């Protein structure tokens, strides 16, 4: 027996999201385009189910925020060294020559300095980094929401994804636009009341607290808005799906 992908999607949507019947689920999946970039292959229907069901249930939900007393004393993490010589040169210059380039489907492609980013509305949030390997820690993150930067550049009609690219070779990921403009999706410049330390991704890290830690890429220097995620890497939305991890990693 062959079950079509659509059938799997709509059945799962109906069951998981609890909507009234397949017709409604089918209409919703179509209407919101809830097919993730890594939906091909044998795990595809599962990825689509998780993404579509969570999106319908949690479209505008907020990641848990903690109180100051719950901040981890020793953030246990993957803290890594500066990734390469280019990065070290920028660091030696106090990141004065560092820029965040925002391009693609935007009205006004812009290169932001750290001072430019610091002049945008600044928010702080106390959220958890949750690694897929089973550990986590809570910290305070300070920065400007990605949506403030996208407000500055404008986003052209048809934009579907924001791709974010690290100065560390091979590190990039993407969010759909709804997650990109979520108020907790934060271009982070500070941590626990100081500058964001380099081992934790300074000078700029994208914190995506509604998803697993691997979506919170360190050393971000480029954001490209696109309507065609297939043009990036192997077309799966990030590197993670190449290793068996989901592109959509909602928690
Ligand atoms: N550039 C870059 N970003 C990265 C990683 C990395 O190796 N390089 N690891 C990711 C993973 S798997 C996790 S769980 C978190 C860990 O964040 P931490 O070092 O603050 O604990 O960073 C994510 N961001
Ligand atoms: Mo991780």
């Amino acid at each position: 027996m062959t079950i079509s992908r659509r059938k799997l999607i709509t059945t799962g949507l109906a069951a998981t999201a609890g909507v009234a019947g397949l017709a409604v689920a089918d209409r919703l999946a179509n209407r919101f385009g809830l097919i993730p970039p890594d939906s091909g292959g044998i795990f595809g229907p599962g990825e689509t189910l998780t993404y579509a069901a969570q999106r319908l249930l949690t479209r505008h939900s907020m990641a848990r925020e903690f109180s100051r007393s719950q901040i981890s004393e020793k953030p246990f993490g993957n803290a890594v060294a500066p990734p390469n010589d280019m990065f070290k040169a920028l660091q030696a210059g106090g990141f004065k020559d560092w820029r965040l380039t925002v391009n693609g489907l935007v009205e006004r492609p812009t290169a932001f300095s750290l001072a430019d980013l610091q002049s945008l509305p600044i928010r702080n949030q106390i959220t958890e980094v949750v690694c897929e390997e089973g550990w986590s820690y809570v910290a305070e993150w300070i920065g400007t929401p990605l949506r403030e930067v996208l407000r500055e550049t404008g986003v052209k009609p048809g934009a579907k994804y924001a791709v974010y690219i690290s100065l560390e070779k091979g590190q990039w990921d993407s969010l759909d636009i709804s997650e990109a403009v979520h108020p907790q999706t934060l271009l982070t410049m500070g941590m626990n009341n100081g500058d964001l330390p380099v081992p934790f991704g300074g000078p700029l890290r994208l914190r995506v607290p509604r998803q697993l830690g691997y979506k919170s890429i360190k050393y971000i220097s480029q954001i490209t808005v696109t309507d065609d995620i297939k043009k990036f890497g192997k077309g799966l939305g990030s590197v993670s799906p190449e290793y068996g991890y989901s592109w959509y990693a909602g928690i």
Side-chain angles (χ1 to χ4, degrees):
M1 186 179 72
T2 332
I3 304 176
S4 73
R5 198 176 76 181
R6 165 136 336 266
K7 178 82 176 166
L8 276 174
I9 295 166
T10 53
T11 306
L13 278 176
T16 318
V19 292
L22 292 179
V24 177
D26 191 44
R27 233 179 31 237
L28 288 172
N30 274 323
R31 175 149 158 230
F32 294 112
L34 295 170
I35 313 285
D38 56 346
S39 67
I42 54 169
F43 296 115
E47 296 305 336
T48 302
L49 256 180
T50 309
Y51 176 55
Q54 286 213 17
R55 264 287 173 272
L56 291 175
L57 287 169
T58 67
R59 259 178 108 64
H60 299 291
S61 76
M62 302 292 275
R64 178 174 173 200
E65 298 200 15
F66 296 77
S67 66
R68 199 146 268 130
S69 67
Q70 290 170 296
I71 291 175
S72 305
E73 261 174 52
K74 286 202 178 104
F76 174 78
N78 274 339
V80 288
N84 53 42
D85 288 346
M86 195 227 288
F87 184 94
K88 284 186 203 151
L90 289 167
Q91 185 178 16
F95 295 112
K96 269 205 297 294
D97 294 330
W98 176 96
R99 293 290 180 278
L100 172 69
T101 304
V102 183
N103 56 21
L105 282 183
V106 294
E107 305 284 353
R108 295 168 293 280
T110 308
F112 295 88
S113 67
L114 276 176
D116 293 336
L117 293 177
Q118 274 151 2
S119 75
L120 297 176
I122 297 296
R123 300 279 175 269
N124 62 325
Q125 63 192 23
I126 302 174
T127 56
E128 194 171 23
V129 172
V130 182
C131 175
E132 78 289 354
E133 289 173 355
W135 48 264
S136 68
Y137 69 89
V138 173
E140 177 165 24
W141 308 94
I142 304 118
T144 191
L146 175 54
R147 67 176 178 186
E148 297 295 345
V149 165
L150 295 177
R151 219 192 294 273
E152 289 294 308
T153 61
V155 170
K156 287 188 175 169
K160 288 208 179 93
Y161 299 94
V163 178
Y164 46 110
I165 300 165
S166 174
L167 284 168
E168 184 179 352
K169 198 167 177 288
Q171 291 280 349
W172 65 280
D173 211 311
S174 64
L175 299 174
D176 62 29
I177 291 295
S178 115
E179 188 95 46
V181 301
H182 187 277
Q184 289 174 310
T185 299
L186 194 71
L187 283 166
T188 301
M189 294 172 274
M191 180 184 181
N192 295 341
N193 292 323
D195 285 345
L196 179 63
V198 167
F200 288 93
L204 193 74
R205 176 181 195 174
L206 188 65
R207 277 286 292 132
V208 186
R210 288 159 31 99
Q211 298 198 39
L212 284 172
Y214 62 77
K215 300 294 282 191
S216 291
I217 299 281
K218 303 171 182 182
Y219 323 121
I220 296 302
S221 67
Q222 187 184 324
I223 293 171
T224 301
V225 177
T226 185
D227 60 351
D228 184 7
I229 198 68
K230 301 287 176 207
K231 286 197 294 213
F232 295 82
K234 295 192 176 167
L236 300 173
S238 61
V239 180
S240 319
E242 295 171 28
Y243 298 97
Y245 296 101
S246 302
W247 166 80
Y248 179 71
I251 48 179

